């Protein structure tokens, strides 16, 4: 009898394990087949508020977010550095989506810009903030002491902007008990990244700040997330051949630039 009970017990455990993995697979497939699963109702983003604010919206990822949010029915405030790019993007968004667009020209490497931004955002019901602006002074990997001396600019652009923009906008989200803040971090935030130390540390700040803030404001109905973008999808790092190739290129690079490093 004992043997039979044990057998039933193990069958039950086996079935439970299969069930857990089945649920995991189904949940994972939601991330791959977003179009079929419709994770969120179409009205979700718009229900956060009438306006979305996007920093660094004149080009690249910020511009793409601005278009998509406008397509989802939100009006958008584009904040960026070059007026001509802002104007061109605003015209294109208004023409293709029919949403209203405001532009604010500013330079996030400065820290005395927030009173002006606050004034220009006054009266808008802001449901979504995308903290996208960020700078990497030099694409080439370098030791800290050999990097261009743009320390203060980088800290203002990558860190101060996130904190100050969040401070400006979170207050009204809190009183409406609704809102979404998306911080565009980077894959280099996930672990220390030598020879890009300041940039990767600034992106790690965004990660920690977002997680802690989400814990503080979750109960108030506000969603705060960091997104970790990377040039290279993580699965390639599991390939031995790729790792060898990367290492060979890196060693070659260091040899050619030996004069740069201590
Ligand atoms: N691209 C990637 O592969 C990648 C990977 C990981 C993470 N990220 C992160 O994603 C974000 C966007 O990257 P991206 O490549 O799309 O950026 P980007 O093309 O270099 O710049 C996007 C926009 O930001 C504006 N901008 C840059 N510095 C500014 C400043 N000091 N003040 C105001 N506006 C400024 C630019 O202004 P102008 O109109 O004057 O050019 C441009 O309109 C960054 O935070 C970056 O760290 C990017």
């Amino acid at each position: 009898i004992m043997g039979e009970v044990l057998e039933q017990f193990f069958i039950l455990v086996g079935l439970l394990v299969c069930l857990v993995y089945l649920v995991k697979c189904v949940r994972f497939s939601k991330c791959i087949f977003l179009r079929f699963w419709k994770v969120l109702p179409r009205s979700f983003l718009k229900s956060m508020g009438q306006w979305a604010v996007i920093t660094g919206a004149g080009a690249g990822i910020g511009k793409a977010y601005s278009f998509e949010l406008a397509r989802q029915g939100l009006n958008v405030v584009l904040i960026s550095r070059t007026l001509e790019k802002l104007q061109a993007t605003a015209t294109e968004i208004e023409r293709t989506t029919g949403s209203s667009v405001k532009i604010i020209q500013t330079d996030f490497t400065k820290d005395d810009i927030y009173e002006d931004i606050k004034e220009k955002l006054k009266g808008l019901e802001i449901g979504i903030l995308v903290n996208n602006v960020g700078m990497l002074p030099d694409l080439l990997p370098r030791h800290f002491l050999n990097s261009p001396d743009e320390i203060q600019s980088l800290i203002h652009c990558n860190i101060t902007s996130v904190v100050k923009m969040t401070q400006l906008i979170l207050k009204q989200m809190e009183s409406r008990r609704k809102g979404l803040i998306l911080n565009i971090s980077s894959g280099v935030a996930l672990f220390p990244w030598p020879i890009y130390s300041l940039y990767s540390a600034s992106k790690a700040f965004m990660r920690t700040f977002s997680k802690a803030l989400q814990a503080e404001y979750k109960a108030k109905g506000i969603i705060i997330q960091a997104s970790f973008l990377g040039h290279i999808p993580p699965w390639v790092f599991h390939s031995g051949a790729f790792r060898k190739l990367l290492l060979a290129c890196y060693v070659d690079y260091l040899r050619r630039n030996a004069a740069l490093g201590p």
Side-chain angles (χ1 to χ4, degrees):
I1 284 197
M2 193 60 187
E4 261 178 37
V5 171
L6 266 180
E7 193 182 326
Q8 296 294 329
F9 174 74
F10 285 125
I11 289 173
L12 192 68
V13 170
L15 282 175
L16 277 176
V17 171
C18 290
L19 191 68
V20 167
Y21 276 95
L22 189 69
V23 171
K24 278 191 178 190
C25 284
V26 171
R27 287 176 68 180
F28 181 64
S29 74
K30 278 188 183 181
C31 305
I32 301 174
F33 304 110
L34 284 176
R35 276 173 196 279
F36 305 108
W37 277 95
K38 294 212 181 350
V39 181
L40 293 171
R42 203 176 148 69
S43 59
F44 174 79
L45 293 171
K46 211 179 163 194
S47 74
M48 293 285 120
Q50 289 171 4
W51 289 83
V53 173
I54 303 102
T55 66
I61 295 163
K63 182 174 170 180
Y65 266 106
S66 307
F67 262 94
E68 194 49 42
L69 289 168
R71 237 177 248 128
Q72 300 280 335
L74 285 111
N75 299 320
V76 288
V77 184
L78 316 179
I79 312 183
S80 199
R81 191 173 44 190
T82 309
L83 187 61
E84 298 74 52
K85 282 195 207 170
L86 277 172
Q87 285 168 335
T89 307
T91 310
E92 215 181 323
I93 292 179
E94 278 174 340
R95 188 173 49 78
T96 54
T97 67
S99 293
S100 297
V101 183
K102 282 182 190 292
I103 57 176
I104 301 177
Q105 183 195 16
T106 199
D107 183 350
F108 283 104
T109 60
K110 313 272 187 298
D111 68 344
D112 57 354
I113 55 173
Y114 295 97
E115 273 309 310
D116 180 52
I117 296 179
K118 185 179 175 184
E119 202 51 43
K120 289 181 174 148
L121 294 180
K122 214 173 230 171
L124 302 183
E125 186 195 75
I126 299 165
I128 299 179
L129 166 65
V130 184
N131 279 314
N132 161 75
V133 75
M135 64 184 270
L136 171 62
D138 193 349
L139 204 56
L140 283 179
R142 282 182 202 276
H143 287 89
F144 176 66
L145 292 179
N146 297 326
S147 311
D149 188 10
E150 295 188 68
I151 295 175
Q152 200 55 67
S153 297
L154 186 144
I155 292 173
H156 283 327
C157 189
N158 295 13
I159 299 179
T160 313
S161 73
V162 179
V163 180
K164 294 295 279 184
M165 289 304 298
T166 300
Q167 187 192 32
L168 281 186
I169 290 171
L170 185 59
K171 211 172 273 177
Q172 56 142 302
M173 288 181 171
E174 185 187 22
S175 54
R176 289 191 299 114
R177 298 187 71 82
K178 226 183 236 183
L180 168 66
I181 298 178
L182 179 61
N183 295 326
I184 306 296
S185 179
S186 162
V188 302
L190 301 175
F191 43 88
W193 197 274
I195 54 183
Y196 288 101
S197 21
L198 188 55
Y199 177 73
S200 80
S202 72
K203 292 294 173 183
F205 170 88
M206 281 177 112
R207 180 183 190 212
T208 307
F209 184 62
S210 310
K211 278 190 172 182
L213 217 57
Q214 175 64 110
E216 281 180 41
Y217 286 89
K218 194 174 182 181
K220 295 184 175 170
I222 298 160
I223 303 165
I224 300 162
Q225 289 186 344
S227 136
F228 306 103
L229 307 171
H231 282 297
I232 304 167
W235 59 264
V236 294
F237 289 107
H238 295 292
S239 145
F242 180 80
R243 276 203 302 249
K244 257 187 212 155
L245 181 71
L246 196 68
L247 197 64
C249 292
Y250 182 50
V251 169
D252 183 47
Y253 169 83
L254 288 182
R255 253 191 224 124
R256 280 185 284 113
N257 294 275
L260 291 173

